[in-house]
Amino acid sequence: MQVTVESTDAARAEADLLALPLFLLEGARRRLPQRLGALDRALGGRLAAALATGDFRGKRGETLLLYPERGAAKRLLLIGLGPESGLDREALRRAMGQAVGAATSGRKAERLAFLVPALGRLRPTPVAEALAEGAHLAAYRFDGYRTRREDAPARVASIALLFERGGDLRAARTGAATGEILASSQNLARDLSNEPANALAPSDLARAAERVAKEAGLSCHVLDVPAMKRLGMGALLAVGQGSRNPPRLVVLQHNAPRRGAARPARRRPTLCFVGKGITFDSGGISIKPAASMHEMKHDMSGAAAVIGALRVAALLRLPLHVVGVLAAAENLPSGDAYRPGDVLRAMSGTTIEVLNTDAEGRLVLADALHYARTQFSPAAIVDLATLTGACVVALGKWSAGLFGNDERLLERVRVAAERAGERVWRLPLWEEHREHIRGDVADIKNTGGRDGGALTAAAFLSHFTEGLAWAHLDIAGTAYTDKPSPCQPRGATGVGVRLLAHLMRDWPSRSV
C-alpha cells in the first residue's frame, strides 16, 4: 500500500472513497465549515444537507457514508473527530483506521483519499506521521495460513493525504515516511507474535531477528545453550530445559561500537531494551488450565516489540547506540523440565527458589537483564514482558503496567506512550514488595503469591537492575486482543514498538 502526500483539491480527487474528517458541530456551528464550501458545491450540496438534518454531528468515531451524484469520488465518508480542542495523534490514527475499514468492509475501494483536517496547533509532520501509521496499522492482516481467500477483505492499494494548498508538503512527506516505518515495524512485531508456536520456536525467533538485522543494517549475535552455560545463565536455561526446542539469547545492536575503535571524549548513549520471548508457555509442571492456552503463543510479544523497535532505530538512523536483548525459551512439561522446589543460580550469582514454574518470564528476564547491564553499561534499560495475569486484573486490556526505579526515565516512558497512543499506568514498587519475595532456602523466590502479583514480579526483576535506571512494562493485558478497533484487528497488537520509538527519538543524542 502506497501513502502519498498531495495538495490536490478534494473536489477533483479521483478516488473510490474520499474520507472527510469533521470536528464536532454544535449549535450555530452545525453549518458546513467554510473551507468545504467548494467541495460541497462540487458534490451537489450533499455535505450541507447531511449536516443540516443532524444525520451527522461530528462526534468522535461517528461515520456517515454518502454516494454523491457529482464529483470525482465514488463514495464520501464523513468521520467525526469530536471537539477540535481534543484533536491529537490518536484521534487522527483512529480516523484513518475508520476510513481504511470503510474502504475494505464489503467494498472494493482500492483508491482512498483522506482530506487532512485543519491542523490548528498540530504541525504537518506529526499529522502525516499519525495518518500514515493509522493507514498501515488498519490495513494489517495475518492470513498467510488461509488456503481459501474468497471471504478475505479487499485491500487498499493507495491512500492520498490531501493537504491544503500552501502547506508544508515536504514536512508532511517526511512525516508520512516516518509513520510508514513505525507502523511496518509494529506490523512485523504483530506477525511474529501471531505466528503459531509450531512455526516459531526459540531458534526460529532468533533466525527472524537475524533476517531483520540483515535487512535493516543491525548487528545480531545469538547465544546458544553452550554459550549460555559458560555465562552461568541458570535461570533462562532452566525454563527452556523441558522442551526439545532449546532456548536462545539474541542480541541486536544499532550503531554497535566498532571493535578496537578509540573511545571518543563524547559518545552516543546506550539504551538497552530487553524482551521476554517465551514462544509458548504451557506453565510447565505448574501447568495452565486448557482454556485460552492457545493464546500463550503471544508470550513472546515483548521480544517481538524489541525487534520492531531496533528496526525503527536502524531505518530512522537514530544517533544512539541501541541494544535489544531477547530471552527466548519454550516452557513445557517433560521429564527434563524444571520443578517447583528447585533452586536455580542466575547469571548474577543470585539463587532463586522456584515455587511455580508458570512464573517463568521473570526467570528468563533475570539473566537477560543482568547480561544487558554488565555487557553494555547502558544509560537505561527498559524491559517489556507479558509477565502477569495480575496486571490484567488490575488494569484490564486498556493499559500496560509501568514500574521502575528512576523518576526521570519513568516520565520519559510515560510521555513516549502518550505520543504513541499506547496507555501505561504507573504502579508502585516498594521495599515491602522486595521483602515479600525473599526466599526461605535461597536468596529470593520466583513468586510472592496472588496478592499484588504484578508488584512482586516487578520487585523480583529489580534485584537484577540495581544501580541502573530501569523501567519495566508489563504488557500482559495489551499484547493481544479479541476486540477489534479501527487500527487493530483481532490478535497481536505489536504494543511497545512505537512507544520505544518515541523514547529513542526524544533521547538526547550525546552523553558526556
Side-chain angles (χ1 to χ4, degrees):
M1 181 178 66
Q2 183 180 23
V3 178
T4 60
V5 173
E6 304 174 12
S7 60
T8 308
D9 188 342
R12 296 188 178 91
E14 295 184 359
D16 298 315
L17 178 69
L18 172 61
L20 181 61
L22 293 172
F23 295 113
L24 182 65
L25 304 168
E26 294 182 301
R29 295 190 60 195
R30 284 182 56 188
R31 297 190 303 270
L32 185 72
Q34 186 176 357
R35 65 189 288 262
L36 301 178
L39 175 61
D40 186 48
R41 288 190 293 274
L43 298 174
R46 297 295 299 275
L47 286 177
L51 301 184
T53 59
D55 289 348
F56 181 84
R57 299 285 301 278
K59 295 179 181 178
R60 190 163 183 170
E62 181 184 10
T63 60
L64 179 64
L65 184 65
L66 302 174
Y67 290 85
E69 297 177 0
R70 294 159 54 183
K74 297 178 181 178
R75 306 171 183 85
L76 180 67
L77 180 70
L78 305 185
I79 303 174
L81 292 174
E84 186 171 358
S85 60
L87 181 65
D88 57 15
R89 301 184 195 208
E90 185 61 16
L92 292 169
R93 290 187 198 100
R94 293 180 67 86
M96 176 58 81
Q98 289 179 290
V100 171
T104 57
S105 298
R107 307 175 185 91
K108 292 185 177 180
E110 296 182 354
R111 297 174 304 162
L112 172 63
F114 189 99
L115 183 60
V116 178
L119 302 185
R121 57 187 173 82
L122 295 179
R123 294 175 289 107
T125 303
V127 166
E129 182 178 307
L131 290 173
E133 287 174 0
H136 287 281
L137 293 175
Y140 173 80
R141 300 287 182 274
F142 185 77
D143 55 9
Y145 289 96
R146 291 187 178 182
T147 56
R148 298 181 63 183
R149 302 294 182 90
E150 293 87 346
D151 59 343
R155 295 182 183 270
V156 176
S158 65
I159 298 177
L161 305 181
L162 306 182
F163 280 76
E164 290 183 337
R165 294 185 184 277
D168 190 344
L169 297 187
R170 178 178 295 182
R173 289 183 178 123
T174 298
T178 300
E180 190 278 332
I181 290 173
L182 296 174
S184 62
S185 298
Q186 182 167 342
N187 286 340
L188 165 67
R190 286 170 163 179
D191 277 343
L192 290 171
S193 184
N194 279 326
E195 279 289 343
N198 63 324
L200 195 78
S203 58
D204 299 310
L205 182 60
R207 281 191 288 271
E210 289 173 327
R211 285 194 299 271
V212 172
K214 184 176 180 180
E215 294 167 1
L218 299 163
S219 71
C220 183
H221 178 55
V222 179
L223 279 68
D224 58 12
V225 170
M228 287 187 281
K229 283 183 177 179
R230 287 193 294 271
L231 290 171
M233 293 185 173
L236 197 164
L237 289 168
V239 172
Q241 71 188 36
S243 171
R244 68 177 63 182
N245 297 310
R248 294 286 187 269
L249 187 84
V250 183
V251 183
L252 291 167
Q253 291 191 70
H254 165 63
N255 283 334
R258 288 179 296 172
R259 190 179 297 272
R263 179 173 175 175
R266 292 172 63 86
R267 61 187 179 89
R268 294 186 178 102
T270 298
L271 295 182
C272 278
F273 301 141
V274 176
K276 174 186 172 183
I278 301 297
T279 56
F280 188 77
D281 181 21
S282 70
I285 298 297
S286 308
I287 196 164
K288 295 177 180 288
S292 299
M293 194 192 287
H294 62 281
E295 294 178 342
M296 290 301 99
K297 68 178 184 177
H298 296 299
D299 211 18
M300 40 63 66
S301 296
V306 171
I307 293 175
L310 267 290
R311 179 179 185 268
V312 170
L315 296 183
L316 292 185
R317 299 181 180 179
L318 298 180
L320 303 169
H321 175 216
V322 186
V323 181
V325 180
L326 321 175
E330 192 172 51
N331 187 25
L332 293 177
S334 75
D336 295 322
Y338 79 125
R339 299 153 293 233
D342 284 1
V343 174
L344 314 177
R345 185 177 297 275
M347 181 183 174
S348 66
T350 301
T351 56
I352 305 167
E353 181 182 357
V354 176
L355 300 187
N356 188 323
T357 63
D358 194 23
E360 86 299 328
R362 64 203 71 180
L363 295 176
V364 301
L365 289 175
D367 283 338
L369 287 167
H370 183 77
Y371 180 88
R373 181 170 71 88
T374 56
Q375 297 296 311
F376 299 102
S377 301
I381 288 182
V382 179
D383 78 74
L384 298 90
T386 46
L387 202 63
T388 67
C391 196
V392 186
V393 173
L395 301 177
K397 291 282 187 176
W398 301 286
S399 175
L402 173 62
F403 305 81
N405 61 6
D406 185 273
E407 293 297 328
R408 189 176 182 186
L409 174 61
L410 291 169
E411 178 60 15
R412 282 175 164 167
V413 172
R414 186 199 65 79
V415 171
E418 184 176 320
R419 292 181 178 174
E422 298 178 350
R423 286 178 176 156
V424 299
W425 191 257
R426 176 81 177 271
L427 291 171
L429 183 54
W430 298 327
E431 186 59 32
E432 288 86 345
H433 300 137
R434 290 169 59 91
E435 292 175 359
H436 194 64
I437 58 166
R438 287 181 180 172
D440 296 323
V441 298
D443 297 330
I444 55 176
K445 53 191 177 183
N446 79 326
T447 177
R450 294 177 60 87
D451 294 346
L455 315 180
T456 55
F460 179 95
L461 297 180
S462 72
H463 279 269
F464 304 92
T465 61
E466 292 179 356
L468 184 69
W470 159 72
H472 160 58
L473 286 164
D474 191 331
I475 59 172
T478 57
Y480 52 94
T481 183
D482 58 2
K483 294 182 179 179
S485 60
C487 294
Q488 176 60 55
R490 288 184 178 86
T493 64
V495 68
V497 174
R498 287 182 295 113
L499 185 160
L500 295 181
H502 283 288
L503 182 66
M504 291 186 290
R505 292 167 72 188
D506 294 338
W507 200 274
S509 62
R510 292 285 183 184
S511 63
V512 178

